[in-house]
């Protein structure tokens, strides 16, 4: 009898967890993303780009996933884990052409590529500030999370725009400014010109992240 | 000149000092002087515990003839071509690995498109090597035969 009751309780718990999971929607990173870092130095401004942003996003039922979907401003259920490979960050000219292998090597060394090959961002809180004004317009959120660079973690808050593209795809964009020193990174001053090259501490992080839901399992699996 | 010191001339400015000694000159910039941008490309030399920019006529165009034997051996065009080839190969492999890790290995079309966008450093491929070889052979033939040889487009096409 006790075994039967325990079995029924266990079954109810499993059903409850399944129901809760079914309310959540998962999105996974897709190609077409880009992260850009912009900084300054006493010689000229510099920019670095990565064409790959990995990770996933899990959202609750009130999160707008379709164009023109109604949404009420306020806190929404969302969790994201985002990563960027340090070695995918490459310096570029203003027109996008590759800039310098030497600068890339100095940057990777400063980011601690050997010990921490990835930069991470973990979203902890998402608040809808403004619903989309049209089907093509983005939803404006305030995002709060943790950024991990070179093994150092800092809390970062920034505005984020989410644009549902239809076909279970989202485009997530945003930018924020961080300081190298807040991640215990000394702004590079390479010893190649009497030590005259000094990099600015502020770095602007701009991202354009494409995510999509995974397609349903192939029909062959249903056979 | 004697064991104590030699004759030289110094010009002192607010941003730098210039020393002229015999047929050489150096500029020693002040630490807080503004950087104009060209200094990073100028040749420097350590002199009396200070590092100064060498002031030499035509320095931006002249070839550095003071290279050590090792530097000469590692600075051949073949060295740079091989270095670029290895770096390009490494970049493409890393890009492929990062794409598969982050987006999955099943999106082959996306992977191909991504790899075509990976910037590559200038490096001679097989076509450039063929063009250079054919041109050199025909130029040598023209010199030896003392005759004019017209370079035909089909000579540069692979069968």
């Amino acid at each position: 009898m006790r075994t039967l009751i325990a079995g029924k309780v266990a079954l109810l718990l499993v059903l409850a967890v399944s129901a809760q999971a079914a309310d959540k929607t998962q999105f996974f990173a897709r190609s077409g993303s880009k992260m850009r870092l912009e900084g300054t130095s006493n010689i000229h401004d510099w920019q670095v780009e990565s064409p790959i942003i990995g990770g996933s996003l899990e959202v609750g039922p009130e999160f707008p996933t379709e164009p023109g979907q109604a949404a009420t401003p306020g806190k929404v259920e969302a969790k994201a884990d985002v990563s960027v490979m340090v070695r995918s960050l490459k310096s570029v000219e203003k027109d996008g052409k590759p800039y310098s292998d030497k600068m890339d090597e100095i940057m990777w060394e400063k980011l601690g590529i050997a010990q921490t090959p990835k930069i991470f961002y973990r979203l902890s809180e998402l608040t809808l500030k403004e619903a989309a004004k049209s089907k093509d317009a983005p939803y404006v959120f305030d995002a709060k999370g943790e950024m991990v660079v070179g093994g150092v973690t800092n809390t970062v808050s920034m505005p984020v725009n989410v644009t549902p593209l239809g076909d279970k795809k989202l485009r997530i964009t945003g930018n924020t400014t961080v300081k190298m020193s807040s991640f215990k990174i000394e702004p590079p001053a390479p010893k190649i010109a009497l030590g005259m090259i000094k990099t600015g501490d502020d770095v602007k992080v701009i991202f354009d992240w494409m995510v999509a839901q995974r397609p349903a399992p192939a029909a062959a699996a249903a056979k | 000149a004697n064991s104590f010191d030699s004759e030289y001339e110094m010009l002192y400015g607010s941003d730098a000092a210039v020393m002229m000694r015999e047929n050489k000159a150096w500029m020693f910039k002040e630490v807080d002087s503004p950087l104009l941008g060209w200094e990073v490309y100028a040749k420097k030399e350590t002199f009396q515990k200070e590092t100064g920019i060498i002031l030499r006529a035509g320095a931006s165009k002249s070839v550095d003839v003071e290279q050590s034997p090792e530097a000469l051996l590692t600075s051949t065009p073949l060295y740079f071509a091989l270095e670029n080839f290895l770096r390009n190969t490494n970049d493409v492999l890393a890009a492929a690995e990062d794409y598969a890790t982050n987006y999955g290995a099943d999106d082959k079309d996306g992977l191909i498109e991504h790899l075509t966008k990976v910037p590559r450093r200038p490096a001679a491929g097989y076509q450039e090597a063929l063009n250079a070889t054919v041109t050199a052979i025909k130029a040598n033939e023209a010199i030896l035969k003392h005759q004019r040889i017209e370079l035909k487009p089909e000579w540069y096409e692979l069968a």
Side-chain angles (χ1 to χ4, degrees), chain A residues 84-88 111-120 150, chain B residues 98:
Chain A
V84 174
M85 300 289 293
V86 171
R87 70 178 177 186
S88 68
L111 291 173
I113 189 172
Q115 294 79 28
T116 51
K118 289 186 182 183
I119 294 172
F120 293 100
Chain B
D98 290 347

Side-chain angles (χ1 to χ4, degrees), chain B residues 127-140:
Chain B
Q127 187 64 51
E128 288 79 14
L130 174 68
N131 294 349
T133 303
V134 168
T135 305
I137 289 173
K138 288 301 177 183
N140 184 60

Side-chain angles (χ1 to χ4, degrees), chain A residues 126-169:
Chain A
L126 194 64
T127 307
L128 178 64
K129 306 300 284 184
E130 191 179 307
K133 293 175 181 169
S134 66
K135 275 197 172 182
D136 298 326
Y139 294 81
V140 182
F141 290 86
D142 270 347
K144 188 176 172 184
E146 291 182 333
M147 187 180 286
V148 185
V149 180
V152 177
T153 305
N154 281 318
T155 301
V156 173
S157 296
M158 58 183 162
V160 165
N161 288 351
V162 176
T163 308
L165 302 175
D167 200 23
K168 298 180 182 178
K169 289 181 186 172

